[in-house]
C-alpha cells in the first residue's frame, strides 16, 4: 500500500501536549500514514489537513485533546503593589483593575479569554493587543502591564522582572485538532481514531 500523508500545522509547544502523545500512538498503529508538519504557507495554499491549536472552546469541527490552565505573568513591581509576594494565585478581580496585554480580538485565545472572563462575571480591563507571546512577555518585563497565556505556551524561564501566578478562579484553555468542514481521507482516519480513544 502506498504511503498516505497527514499534514498538521502545530504550535511550537505541541510536543508538550496530550495531543502530541495521541498522535504518536496513532502513528505507531498506522505506519502507512506519514505525518508531516506543515507551515503557515501550507495553510494558505490548502496543503494542511489539520491544525493543532489552543483557544478552541466552542469551535465547530474541533476535537479537544487537552485542557490546561491559563497562568498570569505579572511585572515584579505590580506583585509588590498588590501584596502578592507570598501568594501563588491572583484573582480575576485584581487583574481586572490592571492594564492587560492580550492577543487581538480575532485571535482564538482572546475569544476564549473574553468568554472566560464573561462567564466569571468579571469585565475585561483596559487591553493592549499583541498576538506574539514573546513580545507580550518583553512588555511585562518592562512593567507595561500583565499578560495571560496557557501554561504549556510559556517558556521554562521567564524574562527578568516577570513573575508567574495561577488564577482564581481558574480559567482553562482548550487545545486540540481543528479540521475543515470536509476533512481529507487521512484526517478523517485520524479524527475517527481520536474519537474512539476518547470514547466519544
Amino acid at each position: 500500500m502506498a504511503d498516505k500523508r497527514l499534514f498538521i500545522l502545530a504550535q511550537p509547544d505541541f510536543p508538550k501536549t496530550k495531543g502530541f502523545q495521541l498522535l504518536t500512538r496513532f502513528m505507531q498503529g498506522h505506519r502507512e500514514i506519514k505525518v508531516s508538519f506543515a507551515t503557515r504557507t501550507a495553510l494558505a495554499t490548502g496543503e494542511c489537513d489539520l491544525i493543532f491549536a489552543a483557544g478552541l472552546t466552542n469551535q465547530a469541527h474541533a476535537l479537544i485533546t487537552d485542557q490546561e490552565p491559563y497562568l498570569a505573568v505579572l511585572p515584579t513591581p505590580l506583585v509588590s503593589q498588590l501584596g502578592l509576594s507570598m501568594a501563588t494565585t491572583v484573582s480575576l478581580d485584581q487583574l481586572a483593575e490592571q492594564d492587560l496585554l492580550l492577543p487581538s480580538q480575532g485571535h482564538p485565545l482572546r475569544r476564549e479569554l473574553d468568554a472566560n472572563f464573561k462567564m466569571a462575571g468579571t469585565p475585561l480591563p483596559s487591553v493592549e493587543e499583541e498576538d506574539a507571546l514573546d513580545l507580550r512577555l518583553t512588555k511585562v518585563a518592562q512593567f507595561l502591564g500583565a499578560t495571560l497565556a496557557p501554561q504549556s505556551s510559556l517558556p521554562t524561564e521567564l524574562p527578568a522582572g516577570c513573575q508567574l501566578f495561577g488564577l482564581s478562579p481558574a480559567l482553562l484553555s482548550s487545545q486540540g485538532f481543528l479540521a475543515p468542514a470536509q476533512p481529507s481521507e487521512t484526517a478523517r482516519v485520524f479524527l475517527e481514531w481520536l474519537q474512539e480513544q476518547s470514547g466519544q
Side-chain angles (χ1 to χ4, degrees), residues 64-167:
I64 305 301
T65 58
D66 298 68
Q67 282 203 312
E68 64 171 354
Y70 275 97
L71 297 179
V73 184
L74 276 58
T76 303
L78 181 59
V79 172
S80 302
Q81 183 185 326
L82 295 176
L84 295 173
S85 300
M86 302 300 287
T88 57
T89 60
V90 60
S91 75
L92 296 188
D93 289 337
Q94 287 171 308
L95 283 176
E97 296 169 2
Q98 310 307 319
D99 291 329
L100 283 185
L101 307 160
L102 295 179
S104 58
Q105 285 287 342
H107 195 287
L109 291 181
R110 176 63 181 279
R111 288 196 300 267
E112 189 172 64
L113 282 167
D114 286 349
N116 273 324
F117 268 80
K118 189 174 181 180
M119 204 179 331
T122 304
L124 259 178
S126 147
V127 169
E128 180 181 334
E129 297 185 342
E130 173 55 65
D131 288 346
L133 177 58
D134 57 341
L135 291 180
R136 295 203 314 270
L137 292 175
T138 298
K139 289 181 177 184
V140 173
Q142 295 167 345
F143 315 143
L144 299 176
T147 195
L148 300 167
Q151 184 172 2
S152 67
S153 68
L154 290 163
T156 310
E157 285 190 35
L158 292 173
C162 296
Q163 288 186 240
L164 198 58
F165 289 85
L167 297 175

Side-chain angles (χ1 to χ4, degrees), residues 7-9 38-39 42-51 180 184:
F7 290 96
I8 298 175
L9 176 64
T39 63
L43 183 63
T45 57
E47 297 169 8
C48 179
D49 297 301
L50 295 169
I51 299 171
S184 66

